[in-house]
Amino acid sequence: MPAPTPEPDSTEPGRIGPDSIVRLVMDAHPETVAVFLRHRMHCPGCVMSPFMTLAEAAANYDMDAAELVAELRAVIPFADSRERR
């Protein structure tokens, strides 16, 4: 019996969503740090970033989570343009 295929994690560009953990996103995609800084969010240096979701971070800064996710996805280079669908 073949080994099961692991589920893609929430740091893959097309999988980043409101439930993704802030620190995991920044670690997997350092280019996203600029988005947090542009919004004057303290996420890059925050001790809560390993535990906080993007939705929670957005709420703490009175931002729309969907807009934050869209901005983060926009700065991540895609190895394959088919992932953008």
Side-chain angles (χ1 to χ4, degrees), residues 52-72:
M52 188 171 278
T53 65
L54 293 175
E56 292 168 333
N60 281 322
Y61 287 90
D62 295 322
M63 294 181 63
D64 180 71
E67 289 178 20
L68 177 60
V69 168
E71 285 187 51
L72 294 169

